[in-house]
């Protein structure tokens, strides 16, 4: 196993991912792999939101987290770390006793005069969409000191579809290495944005990369105004990087698990889900083995069901009793089922459900072995509690306690 305090940062992640909530993944175009991520019609505007998923009640435990990330050139190491570690952070947040529903969003920012000032990706349970968007980001621009932190923070508060659910743990993580421009005209400065966040029940935590004194003063002030936490890491972060002998098998099973998804609904529903499936296929093609294994562990958790299934997923809906196959109109069935005689459709659905169950059990068995392996390898790490993983975990555990979320056992890796 490879374990080290690699120079990596807490992902943007955690998150959701997120793109399905703000539109239909226009940024999944293959050209995006070498270009700036799209999905925004105008600077700082999110595209049309998709309907909410229907698995959870509003009264259930929820986490809504938005990462406000500096994407200028000096942040390249942190952006790469976010790509590597988003799923472990998602699993950490999902590890609360009540298995919360997790939504994630992202505000990427640079500065005026760069290719963009902000890109806003709304909250969503669809972490796959967020992840594939994140994979397309490149650190560019900047290099001239202060950045458009004020605009990014304001849009995180005002352009993200935060819920009105007072029982949700709502949090922003501001990540960057340069202070805000305080000299721009027509710019809402951070004290006003933090006040708006407080009024919405949103906590703002700040993570500073590097040692710039002006950034430190601003980041500490922002966190204190919100009664949030301030963290400092080196220019590349301080994340525990892990890989295990079980990751490859888990990653393979994850792809097999995705193949059991069968979507139904209108043509519009199926088109959206085809793009979700494309996002999954893309991440299997470009993500690291460790990242894909961590995604599998999240997807097979109670909190990961929304990300795995998406909306209008037939196998899970029928096998769980949420939906009767007889209630689905012929035209809304997938083509493969429509081609079967009616008498054989139910049996085919149950065959796929059994296959999914078997794969999930295999993943769970490997995950148990992986956890035991990690516990043994990390047992003698004296400085483990100084890692950013533990700092973030302890912050979330403390702040989310007021919302009825209880965490034990430390971060997931």
């Amino acid at each position: 196993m490879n374990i080290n305090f690699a120079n990596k940062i807490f992902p943007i992640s955690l998150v959701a991912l997120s793109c399905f909530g703000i539109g239909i993944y226009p940024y999944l175009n293959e050209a995006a792999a070498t270009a700036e991520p799209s999905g925004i019609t105008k600077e700082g505007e999110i595209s049309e939101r998709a309907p909410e998923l229907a698995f959870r009640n509003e009264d259930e435990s929820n986490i809504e987290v938005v990462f406000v990330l500096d994407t200028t050139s000096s942040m390249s190491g942190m952006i790469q770390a976010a790509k590597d570690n988003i799923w472990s952070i998602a699993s950490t947040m999902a590890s609360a006793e009540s298995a919360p529903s997790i939504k994630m969003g992202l505000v990427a920012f640079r500065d005026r005069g760069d290719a963009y000032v902000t890109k806003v990706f709304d909250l969503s349970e669809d972490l796959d969409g967020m992840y594939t968007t994140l994979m397309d980001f490149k650190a560019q621009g900047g290099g001239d000191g202060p950045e458009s932190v004020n605009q990014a923070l304001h849009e995180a508060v005002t352009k993200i579809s935060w819920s009105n659910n007072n029982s949700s743990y709502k949090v922003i993580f501001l990540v960057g290495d340069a202070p805000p421009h305080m000299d721009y005209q027509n710019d809402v400065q951070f004290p006003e944005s933090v006040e708006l966040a407080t009024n919405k029940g949103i906590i703002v935590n700040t993570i500073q990369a590097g040692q710039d004194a002006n950034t430190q003063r601003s980041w500490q002030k922002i966190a204190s105004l919100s009664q949030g936490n301030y963290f400092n890491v080196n220019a590349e972060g301080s994340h525990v990087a892990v890989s295990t002998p079980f990751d490859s098998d888990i990653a393979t099973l994850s792809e097999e698990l995705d193949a059991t998804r069968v979507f139904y609904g209108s043509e519009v529903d199926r088109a959206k889900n085809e793009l979700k499936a494309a996002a999954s296929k893309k991440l299997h093609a470009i993500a690291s083995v460790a990242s894909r294994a961590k995604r599998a562990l999240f997807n097979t958790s109670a909190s990961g069901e929304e990300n795995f299934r998406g909306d209008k997923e037939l196998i899970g809906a029928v096998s769980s009793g949420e939906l009767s196959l007889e209630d689905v109109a012929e035209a809304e069935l997938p083509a493969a089922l429509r081609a079967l005689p009616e008498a054989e459709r139910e049996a085919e659905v149950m065959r796929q459900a059994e296959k999914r169950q078997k794969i999930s059990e295999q993943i769970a068995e490997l995950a148990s072995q992986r956890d035991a392996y990690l516990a043994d390898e990390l047992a003698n790490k004296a400085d483990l509690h100084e890692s950013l993983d533990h700092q973030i975990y302890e912050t979330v555990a403390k702040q989310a306690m007021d919302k009825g979320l209880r965490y034990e056992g430390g971060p997931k890796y």
Side-chain angles (χ1 to χ4, degrees):
M1 180 178 77
N2 175 24
I3 299 181
N4 57 73
F5 279 95
N7 292 327
K8 296 190 176 182
I9 184 73
F10 174 64
I12 302 165
S13 70
L14 304 223
V15 184
L17 300 186
S18 168
C19 311
F20 184 59
I22 62 171
I24 312 179
Y25 307 113
Y27 37 81
L28 288 181
N29 193 308
E30 288 302 318
T34 56
E36 294 297 344
S38 57
I40 305 296
T41 54
K42 294 181 181 178
E43 198 170 84
E45 293 184 2
I46 59 177
S47 54
E48 183 181 356
R49 297 185 178 99
E52 293 295 321
L53 301 182
F55 308 138
R56 296 260 180 179
N57 295 323
E58 190 71 5
D59 293 335
E60 293 184 6
S61 299
N62 296 306
I63 293 177
E64 301 171 31
V65 55
V66 170
F67 294 88
V68 181
L69 180 75
D70 182 343
T71 58
T72 55
S73 295
S74 59
M75 293 289 290
S76 59
M78 290 191 171
I79 293 173
Q80 182 58 49
K83 297 174 182 179
D84 293 338
N85 294 296
I86 186 170
W87 297 108
S88 57
I89 301 299
S91 291
T92 293
M93 286 195 167
S95 67
E97 292 179 4
S98 55
S101 173
I102 298 175
K103 291 184 178 182
M104 294 184 185
L106 167 67
V107 178
F109 70 91
R110 292 181 180 171
D111 197 14
R112 297 182 184 183
D114 289 331
Y116 59 84
V117 179
T118 60
K119 288 183 179 290
V120 181
F121 300 91
D122 202 10
L123 285 165
S124 174
E125 298 97 338
D126 182 25
L127 304 196
D128 282 354
M130 170 69 79
Y131 184 72
T132 53
T133 297
L134 181 58
M135 291 297 289
D136 289 336
F137 268 108
K138 292 183 178 180
Q140 294 177 343
D144 56 354
E147 311 292 355
S148 289
V149 177
N150 283 327
Q151 181 175 333
L153 185 58
H154 186 67
E155 291 181 1
V157 177
T158 61
K159 291 191 174 183
I160 294 290
S161 56
W162 301 97
S163 75
N164 295 320
N165 185 358
N166 292 329
S167 66
S168 289
Y169 170 48
K170 291 176 263 192
V171 62
I172 289 171
F173 285 93
L174 173 62
V175 186
D177 62 358
H181 266 289
M182 303 302 288
D183 55 343
Y184 281 158
Q185 298 296 314
N186 303 317
D187 204 19
V188 179
Q189 297 190 352
F190 67 76
E192 182 176 341
S193 296
V194 172
E195 183 177 2
L196 288 172
T198 301
N199 292 339
K200 292 185 175 187
I202 305 165
I203 298 172
V204 181
N205 298 309
T206 57
I207 301 173
Q208 179 194 356
Q211 301 298 323
D212 182 79
N214 291 327
T215 305
Q216 180 179 12
R217 284 191 291 271
S218 297
W219 258 228
Q220 289 178 333
K221 181 65 173 178
I222 291 169
S224 66
L225 287 172
S226 181
Q227 297 185 337
N229 283 2
Y230 159 82
F231 308 109
N232 178 250
V233 296
N234 62 32
E236 298 294 322
S238 303
H239 195 88
V240 179
V242 298
S243 60
T244 82
F246 306 98
D247 290 349
S248 180
D249 287 342
I250 295 173
T252 298
L253 288 169
S254 177
E255 190 167 7
E256 293 176 9
L257 189 67
D258 284 350
T260 69
R261 294 182 300 193
V262 176
F263 298 108
Y264 71 101
S266 67
E267 290 185 10
V268 172
D269 292 328
R270 293 199 299 271
K272 290 177 181 177
N273 283 315
E274 284 173 6
L275 289 171
K276 177 176 176 58
S280 300
K281 186 175 294 186
K282 178 176 179 178
L283 69 85
H284 284 301
I286 65 177
S288 69
V289 169
S291 293
R292 290 158 52 208
K294 293 171 187 177
R295 172 181 174 269
L297 303 183
F298 176 73
N299 277 353
T300 51
S301 72
S303 295
E305 183 179 16
E306 286 97 339
N307 179 64
F308 169 64
R309 283 175 53 185
D311 196 15
K312 302 282 189 179
E313 200 284 309
L314 189 67
I315 306 302
V318 173
S319 62
S320 66
E322 297 171 18
L323 179 73
S324 171
L325 191 59
E326 296 175 354
D327 294 335
V328 182
E330 180 84 11
E332 295 194 346
L333 289 171
L337 279 184
R338 288 201 306 270
L340 293 176
E342 288 187 31
E344 296 180 15
R345 292 173 182 173
E346 185 88 25
E348 177 60 26
V349 169
M350 297 316 297
R351 277 194 294 270
Q352 288 298 319
E354 290 171 5
K355 180 179 180 181
R356 177 179 299 179
Q357 179 65 25
K358 182 177 179 181
I359 295 171
S360 297
E361 289 172 356
Q362 290 175 296
I363 291 174
E365 182 178 351
L366 288 169
S368 179
Q369 296 176 54
R370 183 180 185 274
D371 287 344
Y373 187 88
L374 285 173
D376 183 61
E377 293 292 327
L378 295 173
N380 297 320
K381 278 284 190 180
D383 52 355
L384 197 61
H385 287 274
E386 298 176 7
S387 70
L388 188 59
D389 304 75
H390 268 272
Q391 293 185 70
I392 294 298
Y393 169 80
E394 289 166 3
T395 294
V396 170
K398 181 179 179 180
Q399 293 175 350
M401 188 178 296
D402 290 341
K403 304 300 181 181
L405 296 168
R406 298 290 183 269
Y407 288 89
E408 294 181 359
K412 302 296 182 180
Y413 297 109

